[in-house]
Amino acid sequence: TTTTTTTMSDNATATASTTTTTTSSECENSESQSYLSKDEVNALDDDAFYKAYREGRIERRKDAWTEDNFEEEMEKHPLFMTKQPTMEDFNSNVHLQAMQEMFHELTPFERAEHHKAHGNENYKKALKFGRKKSSNADTSARNEKAKVKHLREAVHLYTEGLREMCGDDTMESILLSNRAVCHLLLKNNGSALKDCKLAIRYNPENTKAHFRAAKASFNLEMLQECISWCDRTLALDPKNSDATDLRAKATIKKAAFEKEMRKRAAILRKKKKEEEKVNQAIKARGIRMSDLENNARVGELAASKLKDGVDIDDSDDDEEEEERSAPTLLPAGQHGPILRDDELFWPVLFLYPEHAQSDFIQEFAETNSINDHLNVMFPQGDAPSTPWDTENTYKVNSLCAYFEATGKDGVQTSCMVPIDLNAPLGFVLQDKDSCVFGQVVMVFLMVEGSAYQQTFLSRHKLRKNPASLPKGMKYTNE
């Protein structure tokens, strides 16, 4: 029994000894499989490097990218950035700072070249978005927005290149010409033409600058200048089909424009002759005319006109100024007095101050009386003639009329002159106190004997004798 126990004890001791030896051997092997040195790693080819990396024989850097943060880390690297870096990024990102230092070490020409290259990239991106067509309105709007964004960025980059003042005339000319084409696409035609002229000053043989100057001139309706720029372009590049086509288009458009101008000039000449005849007829009848500028009270009368929703023609349009030498109370699109078969037809404004309303009659014959029109506008009857006459008092037999007297100096006197409603308008206008302002005859109408008439006359002087035809006299236009 003792012998057997000893044997078993020896075997256990041997086993333990073997186990201890094995563990010690594994530790030695683990220590022997340490990371490769830098020289050993540099000596590996690609396949061996990836194999060693997978086996864990290459030590990972403490700041190495992981699967969790590689996208964030890539965004920090200048080569992989998808957004324009901010000033804060430049202050905190060592990669950007290094690149910035490297950029400032470049020569002015190299920096200008750098800006030009990035400007060209943005220009190409803009063209790409411009070519994209979509039936979806939102998509089209996004494409247009992206196009404009890249064009503006390209303009900025070309401008930065010009600020380097590299001293190379060819580079300066290219930057200006490239910026000009971006301005053309942004419809800044004036800026485009200016850049083209500067580009040609640096390099007179810059064909693109000449052609872009022609396009800018065409867009600005400077057709003769466009033709001139096309001719210069073709002198440098006789096979330039775009310049040939643009010249032909500008020539056709210029001919059509000149034809239209001749037509307008003929119309203006004809109108001037007609106006001269009208003025002579007015002068022969002894009717006084005055401009709005000569009377401050015309504004009050105009206000009555506006309350009825009629716009005064105060257009600043150049063509209107050519056709009309003085301000007028005429509604927009209407004309002044005209002469037809030796009879004058006047624009007349009926004012109803009691209701702040008005009526405009474009052609009131000088041989017609006010009653001729009132019989149509306010006939006798039970129903009101107009919506604003709620009391149904405005009837032809109930109305009276006045015009405001004008002194010899052409200024209105606040004196009201009664008008014989059956007298021809021409006779009323020949009255010594009558004057036509702004080419429009103004007549105040109200109900005879009404409370408003008393209020109205209390604010004005009243001439006793009305403007009427003497008994037995018949009005003539001679």
Side-chain angles (χ1 to χ4, degrees), residues 174-187:
I174 292 172
L175 288 169
L176 286 163
S177 179
N178 287 2
R179 190 171 69 174
V181 75
C182 293
H183 278 311
L184 280 173
L185 293 175
L186 290 169
K187 298 183 180 179

Side-chain angles (χ1 to χ4, degrees), residues 24-42:
S24 176
S25 175
E26 288 178 355
C27 290
E28 291 176 0
N29 289 338
S30 177
E31 291 177 0
S32 64
Q33 293 180 358
S34 59
Y35 296 123
L36 298 176
S37 66
K38 290 184 178 180
D39 293 337
E40 290 173 330
V41 171
N42 292 335

Side-chain angles (χ1 to χ4, degrees), residues 316-334:
D316 291 331
D317 189 84
D318 292 340
E319 292 181 17
E320 293 294 330
E321 289 184 3
E322 288 179 6
E323 297 175 5
R324 195 174 291 130
S325 59
T328 175
L329 280 176
L330 288 168
Q334 303 299 330

Side-chain angles (χ1 to χ4, degrees), residues 300-310 349-359 386 388-389 394 443-446 452 456 459:
E300 300 175 16
L301 304 177
S304 300
K305 198 177 163 191
L306 288 173
K307 287 179 182 178
D308 195 32
V310 182
L349 185 65
F350 283 172
L351 297 167
Y352 314 104
E354 180 180 4
H355 298 281
Q357 298 291 330
S358 65
D359 281 316
T386 60
W388 47 262
D389 182 20
Y394 277 70
V443 177
F444 295 89
L445 288 165
M446 59 199 69
Y452 180 79
F456 179 80
R459 298 197 301 261

Side-chain angles (χ1 to χ4, degrees), residues 105-329:
E105 291 175 0
L106 299 174
T107 65
F109 179 85
E110 290 171 333
R111 291 197 294 270
E113 180 72 33
H114 171 82
H115 288 306
K116 186 193 82 169
H118 284 276
N120 291 349
E121 289 177 9
N122 277 275
Y123 171 68
K124 291 175 182 177
K125 289 179 181 178
L127 293 182
K128 181 180 177 182
F129 280 106
R131 285 192 292 265
K132 289 183 177 180
K133 303 297 180 183
S134 175
S135 57
N136 186 284
D138 292 337
T139 303
S140 297
R142 284 195 299 270
N143 290 339
E144 182 64 22
K145 187 177 180 180
K147 170 189 168 184
V148 171
K149 175 186 174 183
H150 285 297
L151 285 173
R152 288 176 177 169
E153 181 62 22
V155 168
H156 169 72
L157 289 165
Y158 293 136
T159 303
E160 289 298 311
L162 290 166
R163 285 176 179 169
E164 296 295 341
M165 294 186 290
C166 65
D168 186 279
D169 288 350
T170 301
M171 176 59 72
E172 301 278 5
S173 181
I174 292 172
L175 288 169
L176 286 163
S177 179
N178 287 2
R179 190 171 69 174
V181 75
C182 293
H183 278 311
L184 280 173
L185 293 175
L186 290 169
K187 298 183 180 179
N188 301 331
N189 296 297
S191 297
L193 183 57
K194 182 179 178 181
D195 279 350
C196 288
K197 289 179 178 179
L198 288 172
I200 293 167
R201 186 181 299 177
Y202 280 108
N203 180 13
E205 296 183 0
N206 189 333
T207 307
K208 290 183 179 180
H210 281 82
F211 178 65
R212 289 164 185 169
K215 291 179 71 175
S217 299
F218 183 85
N219 294 340
L220 291 168
E221 301 288 339
M222 300 164 60
L223 301 175
Q224 184 54 53
E225 190 167 344
C226 171
I227 294 171
S228 177
W229 283 116
C230 287
D231 289 340
R232 297 182 193 181
T233 305
L234 292 169
L236 295 170
D237 181 12
K239 296 182 180 180
N240 192 319
S241 58
D242 291 335
T244 303
D245 294 343
L246 182 61
R247 190 188 191 285
K249 189 187 294 187
T251 302
I252 293 171
K253 192 171 183 179
K254 179 173 178 284
F257 176 77
E258 290 174 346
K259 181 179 179 181
E260 180 64 22
M261 291 303 294
R262 288 193 296 270
K263 183 178 178 181
R264 289 186 184 182
I267 292 173
L268 284 174
R269 286 194 298 271
K270 182 180 179 182
K271 188 169 184 178
K272 275 191 174 182
K273 288 182 179 179
E274 292 174 354
E275 288 177 352
E276 288 176 3
K277 290 181 180 179
V278 170
N279 291 334
Q280 289 172 3
I282 292 173
K283 188 176 180 180
R285 286 162 173 76
I287 298 173
R288 289 195 296 165
M289 301 282 287
S290 181
D291 294 337
L292 293 180
E293 297 167 348
N294 296 337
N295 198 295
R297 284 180 50 76
V298 172
E300 300 175 16
L301 304 177
S304 300
K305 198 177 163 191
L306 288 173
K307 287 179 182 178
D308 195 32
V310 182
D311 291 333
I312 294 175
D313 188 2
D314 57 354
S315 173
D316 291 331
D317 189 84
D318 292 340
E319 292 181 17
E320 293 294 330
E321 289 184 3
E322 288 179 6
E323 297 175 5
R324 195 174 291 130
S325 59
T328 175
L329 280 176

